[in-house]
Amino acid sequence: MHDVVIRGGTLVDGSGASARVGDLAIDGGRIVQAGGKAGAARREIDAAGALVTPGWVDIHTHYDGQATWDPYLSPSTWHGVTTAIMGNCGVGFAPVKPDRREWLIKVMEGVEDIPGSVLSEGIEWDWETFPEYLDALDRRPKALDIGAQIPHSAVRAYVMGDRAIHHDEASPADLLAMREVVRAALQAGAVGFSTSRTFLHKYDERKYPPGTFATGEEISALGSVMGEVGHGVFQMTANHPAMEGEIPWLEQLARHNRLPVLFNLQQTDGAPDVWKQIVRTLDKARDEGVPLMAGISGRPLGILFSWQSSLHPFIAHPTYQALHALPLPEKLAQLRDPQVRQKIMSEQRGLLDRRAETLFSSFHKIYRLGQDPDYEPLPEDSVAAMAARTGRPPLELVYDLMLENEGRAILYYPSFNYSYENLDHLHQLMQHANTVNSLSDGGAHCGYICDVSMPTFMLSHWTRDRRRGPLLPLEHVVRRQTRDTALVYGLHDRGLLQPGYKADINVIDPDALKVHCPEMVFDLPGGGRRLVQRADGYAATLVNGLPIFERGEATGELPGKLLRGAGPQPG
C-alpha cells in the first residue's frame, strides 16, 4: 500500500513532455509511480480535472532573515514554492562578527527594503561563521526546502572590517582569507556565492555595500573557489544598462569553473535594446556549452504606489511627510480634507534623486492595478492617458486613485521590462535555453514591490490569460520553474514527476487559478509591515510527500530540509 496517491490528475511532469492523465504514487517522500493506475494508498488526493506539477523551485528570494523565524517562508508557499534559494545579490547575515550584526541589518534594510526593526526583533543570532549559520538554519523547523548562498558583502566585511566598508582594494592576504571563508561555506553546503555591482543598491542613503566596487581580481579569486570545490552558482546583480561590459569576465569565469554563472537581466528604459546584444552572447554560450545564464523575470518589476507604501509621488511633499507615520485611518482623514489636499498639491516637494524624480513623473507608465491585477496593461489605461481624456492634472488623478478602495488602492509602475509597453521581449527570453526564471524577491522589498506571485502569474498569464500577444505552452512554463531552476543549482533530485524523484508537488485547479491584488499586512516581528499577495487555485502543495498546504490552509506539517550543496541524481 502506498503512502499517498494523487488520483486522476493531469500530470505536467516538468520535463516539457506533453501532459497526460494518470495517478501519482508516493512512498517514503519519493515518487514511485507517475502515470497509469496506482494501487491503494493510506491517503488519496482526488485530482480529477486538476493539474499535477512538481513544486516550484524559486532561486531568488532573500529570506535570509525570515528563514530564522518563519517555517513557511510566506508568502512563497502560498504560491506553491517547495524549494527556495536565498543569499542573493551579495547581501545576507553570515559570516558576521557580533559587533557587525546591526550593520548587516542596516545593509539588508537599505538594499532589500526589509525593515531593520523587524530583522532586529526576529533574528536570534546563534552563529558567526557561514557553516554555523547553515547549522542554525538546519535546526529550525521548515515547511519547504531552503538553500543559502554566501554573500560577498558579508565575506568582505568579516575579513576586512572597516576597510571593506570604505571600499579599499583587497590585499593579497585579504584575498587568501576571503577565499578560505568562501571555501569553508561551500564545503559546509552553501549552494553558491553572490555579489552585486549595481548602483541601485544603497544603504544609509548614499553608501554602497562592500563588494560593489571590487576589482576583477577579487571577484575572479572568490568566484573560482566554486570551480575548485566542484559545486555552486556564481550569482550577480549588475548595472543593467552596462551589462555588456560585465559579460566578458562573467563568460570567462563560467568557462573556467564549468559551473553556472548567473546574472540578472532586466530591460531598462534608458537602454531598452541592450537585452538583444546579451541574447547574442547567450546564443554563443549555448552553442559552446558554456554555463553563462541570465536570470529573468516573468513580468515587469513592479513598483507599487499606495498611501501605505514606501514610495509614491507625494512621499517628499512636506505636508505629507508630517502625516506619513500616522495610522492609516488618521492619515486618510487628513488626506481627504480638501485643505490638506490643496496644500499637498500646490507645494514644492523636497529633494529627490534623479531616478525618483523620473519615477514619480512618468505618468505614462503609472496604472491602476485593481482587484484583478493586469501586469501587461494597455497604454490607454495609464494615468497620462486618463488625464488627457479628462483634462485633469495627472498628479491630482494619482492622489484620488490612491484614495480608492478605502485608501488601500494600489497603482502600478512597471519599472523594468516594460519599455515596449508590452511583454513581447519576455516571451522571447523565456524560450532561450540560457535564461532561467528568477527575481521573485519573495522576502524582500516589503514596502513597494510584491513580485512573490511570479510562479502563479507564470501559469495564469502566460498559458491562459494573455491577450496582447502569443501564449506559451503549459508544459514549457512548468518546466521553466521546476526542472530548469532546479538544475541551475545542481538539484538533480527534484523538478520532475518521475520515479525516484522527491515528492514535491502542486495540485492546481486551472480554472480557479488567479492572483489577488497585493495588500499591506502587519504580521512581521514587532508588527512590521510588508506587502503580500494571495492566490486561488492551489488545491494542495506537498513537500517530501507530505501536504504542507491544502485549499490555501497550512496543515502544520513541517517536512522541509536544509540543502547542503548540490543534490544527487535519483537512481
Side-chain angles (χ1 to χ4, degrees):
M1 179 172 287
H2 298 298
D3 292 341
V4 179
V5 167
I6 300 173
R7 189 78 71 186
T10 300
L11 306 180
V12 188
D13 70 5
S15 71
S18 297
R20 63 194 188 279
V21 175
D23 295 348
L24 194 77
I26 300 165
D27 286 322
R30 296 277 166 173
I31 297 168
V32 295
Q33 180 179 335
K37 180 72 173 175
R42 296 177 184 86
R43 175 168 187 177
E44 294 197 3
I45 297 174
D46 181 5
L51 304 176
V52 180
T53 75
W56 313 136
V57 179
D58 191 335
I59 62 173
H60 197 113
T61 68
H62 291 291
Y63 283 119
D64 309 77
Q66 190 173 330
T68 68
W69 72 74
D70 175 13
Y72 290 99
L73 297 191
S74 64
S76 285
T77 44
W78 304 352
H79 294 272
V81 173
T82 56
T83 301
I85 304 297
M86 55 197 187
N88 315 95
C89 300
V91 292
F93 297 114
V96 59
K97 292 184 168 66
D99 62 346
R100 295 284 183 191
R101 292 170 178 172
E102 288 302 317
W103 175 80
L104 279 185
I105 284 175
K106 192 178 295 184
V107 172
M108 183 68 81
E109 180 177 37
V111 170
E112 300 298 339
D113 187 39
I114 304 171
S117 58
V118 166
L119 296 170
S120 295
E121 179 81 16
I123 296 176
E124 294 183 11
W125 301 88
D126 51 356
W127 65 84
E128 176 175 326
T129 68
F130 198 86
E132 289 170 349
Y133 174 64
L134 292 181
D135 290 343
L137 292 176
D138 213 354
R139 289 191 295 270
R140 287 163 168 81
K142 292 168 282 296
L144 71 168
D145 288 357
I146 60 174
Q149 300 167 108
I150 182 166
H152 192 181
S153 64
V155 171
R156 207 169 201 267
Y158 188 72
V159 170
M160 296 175 59
D162 286 343
R163 292 186 301 115
I165 297 170
H166 298 149
H167 304 291
D168 288 4
E169 185 173 336
S171 69
D174 294 330
L175 292 179
L176 285 173
M178 285 192 283
R179 278 172 54 83
E180 289 311 304
V181 169
V182 174
R183 187 185 309 277
L186 291 166
Q187 290 173 339
V191 297
F193 169 88
S194 71
T195 191
S196 172
R197 298 170 73 78
T198 178
F199 298 148
L200 296 178
H201 287 172
K202 299 177 186 177
Y203 70 101
D204 271 3
E205 296 184 1
R206 300 292 178 183
K207 296 179 182 176
Y208 295 94
T212 304
F213 306 106
T215 64
E217 180 186 12
E218 178 178 335
I219 300 241
S220 296
L222 300 181
S224 64
V225 177
M226 283 175 285
E228 297 165 13
V229 173
H231 79 264
V233 173
F234 180 93
Q235 186 268 322
M236 185 188 78
T237 299
N239 292 304
H240 304 297
M243 196 61 234
E244 279 186 284
E246 307 279 11
I247 290 294
W249 68 264
L250 289 171
E251 193 263 355
Q252 185 180 23
L253 182 62
R255 282 183 185 275
H256 178 272
N257 281 353
R258 308 308 298 179
L259 291 168
V261 169
L262 178 63
F263 63 91
N264 297 352
L265 178 58
Q266 301 270 32
Q267 181 197 51
T268 64
D269 291 350
D273 294 330
V274 165
W275 68 275
K276 296 177 182 178
Q277 286 96 42
I278 303 298
V279 166
R280 286 193 280 272
T281 301
L282 295 175
D283 288 340
K284 183 172 181 288
R286 177 199 58 207
D287 294 343
E288 297 178 3
V290 178
L292 180 66
M293 311 289 294
I296 63 170
S297 300
R299 71 185 191 207
L301 183 148
I303 295 178
L304 306 181
F305 299 153
S306 79
W307 292 119
Q308 292 180 291
S309 68
S310 303
L311 288 176
H312 57 70
F314 306 100
I315 202 75
H317 286 239
T319 300
Y320 174 77
Q321 287 181 321
L323 309 176
H324 181 64
L326 291 176
L328 184 62
E330 296 177 34
K331 182 192 295 186
L332 292 176
Q334 291 289 320
L335 292 170
R336 290 183 177 121
D337 185 312
Q339 291 183 331
V340 173
R341 184 183 189 279
Q342 179 57 34
K343 189 174 181 182
I344 291 174
M345 297 304 307
S346 62
E347 69 190 1
Q348 182 72 34
R349 67 183 173 208
L351 290 176
L352 295 167
D353 63 30
R354 185 173 60 182
R355 184 167 181 269
E357 287 285 359
T358 300
L359 190 70
F360 296 152
S361 59
S362 297
F363 299 109
H364 68 290
K365 285 189 69 177
I366 300 176
Y367 303 86
R368 182 195 264 128
L369 195 57
Q371 292 306 301
D372 293 308
D374 182 0
Y375 290 99
E376 194 174 10
L378 292 162
E380 53 263 38
D381 292 332
S382 70
V383 166
M386 294 170 63
R389 287 195 298 270
T390 62
R392 296 183 60 196
L395 200 60
E396 288 188 8
L397 275 173
V398 169
Y399 191 103
D400 292 340
L401 289 171
M402 290 199 304
L403 285 173
E404 293 179 349
N405 190 27
E406 299 179 345
R408 291 177 170 82
I410 291 176
L411 301 184
Y412 173 59
Y413 180 97
S415 177
F416 295 154
N417 293 322
Y418 215 62
S419 302
Y420 302 156
E421 297 182 314
N422 61 53
L423 300 184
D424 288 349
H425 79 290
L426 289 182
H427 183 270
Q428 180 176 336
L429 285 171
M430 283 191 288
Q431 297 177 78
H432 199 289
N434 281 48
T435 67
V436 62
N437 278 70
S438 182
L439 307 175
S440 69
D441 278 350
H445 305 298
C446 298
Y448 65 95
I449 296 173
C450 190
D451 286 338
V452 70
S453 67
M454 203 80 73
T456 307
F457 171 86
M458 287 290 297
L459 257 65
S460 59
H461 183 81
W462 284 109
T463 75
R464 187 191 67 192
D465 296 341
R466 190 177 189 222
R467 299 291 180 264
R468 300 191 57 202
L471 298 172
L472 290 167
L474 170 66
E475 294 87 349
H476 176 78
V477 169
V478 169
R479 192 194 74 206
R480 290 283 302 185
Q481 50 195 8
T482 55
R483 189 59 172 161
D484 287 357
T485 44
L487 286 181
V488 169
Y489 277 84
L491 306 177
H492 298 281
D493 61 346
R494 66 199 67 205
L496 284 178
L497 301 183
Q498 292 183 9
Y501 282 79
K502 280 180 89 274
D504 294 351
I505 297 159
N506 281 316
V507 181
I508 301 167
D509 180 343
D511 296 327
L513 191 70
K514 64 171 288 187
V515 295
H516 291 253
C517 187
E519 58 182 308
M520 191 72 76
V521 298
F522 297 82
D523 64 350
L524 292 175
R529 66 173 184 165
R530 61 173 177 156
L531 283 160
V532 300
Q533 192 165 20
R534 301 184 183 275
D536 293 339
Y538 287 92
T541 297
L542 289 78
V543 172
N544 292 316
L546 294 175
I548 62 167
F549 274 87
E550 291 183 295
R551 303 292 174 187
E553 298 294 329
T555 64
E557 297 282 2
L558 300 174
K561 307 289 186 184
L562 173 72
L563 302 174
R564 290 192 184 263
Q569 182 77 35

